[in-house]
Amino acid sequence: MRIFLDTNVIVDLIADRQPYSQHAVRIFQRAEQKQLQLFASSHSIITTHYLMSRYLDEKTLREVLLNLLDFLTVQDADAELLRMALRSGHRDFEDAVQVLCAARIGQVDFIVTRNLRDFKTSEIPALSPEELCLRLDL
């Protein structure tokens, strides 16, 4: 199964935000076991660094993100994609970038996010981390 992760799932994992992190941990464990393919946008990695830099020292944060990249394939948010997101019908620009990155990857089964409301117009179905875990019987 091919899963595109929204930024909030990655932050949940690194920040150990309870009760959400338990689902993020299970998802990454499945990726480690090669049972899921995980994808994220370059924007998500950059935003995660920015958000987490308030809580972790730079060296530790970089190590955490480097380790995370062992389990994620990153899709670039280039100028063409940003133009498409700005012109899209999605109300939220950041979420438009996420949807378009996921679509560019191709054959993504689900976008996994805790912000389902903003992905209602996505051509790729969105699930919460908890819903994905239930589907995978985690």
Side-chain angles (χ1 to χ4, degrees), residues 92-119:
D92 184 284
F93 171 65
E94 185 177 7
D95 293 332
V97 169
Q98 299 293 65
V99 169
L100 292 169
C101 277
R104 187 180 270 182
I105 293 163
Q107 298 179 346
V108 169
D109 296 295
F110 299 105
I111 295 173
V112 175
T113 181
R114 283 195 299 104
N115 190 14
L116 293 171
R117 182 174 22 104
D118 286 347
F119 288 87

Side-chain angles (χ1 to χ4, degrees), residues 51-104:
L51 294 171
M52 295 306 304
S53 66
R54 301 174 194 164
Y55 306 101
L56 295 173
D57 67 87
E58 186 66 21
K59 182 176 186 235
T60 301
L61 180 54
R62 286 181 182 228
E63 287 175 18
V64 167
L65 290 173
L66 279 168
N67 289 332
L68 194 72
L69 292 177
D70 289 340
F71 305 103
L72 282 173
T73 300
V74 176
Q75 175 62 51
D76 290 334
D78 60 17
E80 177 187 347
L81 188 134
L82 296 175
R83 283 187 187 91
M84 290 170 52
L86 288 165
R87 291 182 180 121
S88 77
H90 295 281
R91 290 179 37 203
D92 184 284
F93 171 65
E94 185 177 7
D95 293 332
V97 169
Q98 299 293 65
V99 169
L100 292 169
C101 277
R104 187 180 270 182

Side-chain angles (χ1 to χ4, degrees), residues 9-28:
V9 179
I10 298 168
V11 172
D12 287 346
L13 177 77
I14 295 172
D16 193 20
R17 290 196 291 199
Q18 296 296 326
Y20 311 111
S21 62
Q22 65 182 321
H23 305 298
V25 167
R26 290 180 188 147
I27 291 167
F28 275 88

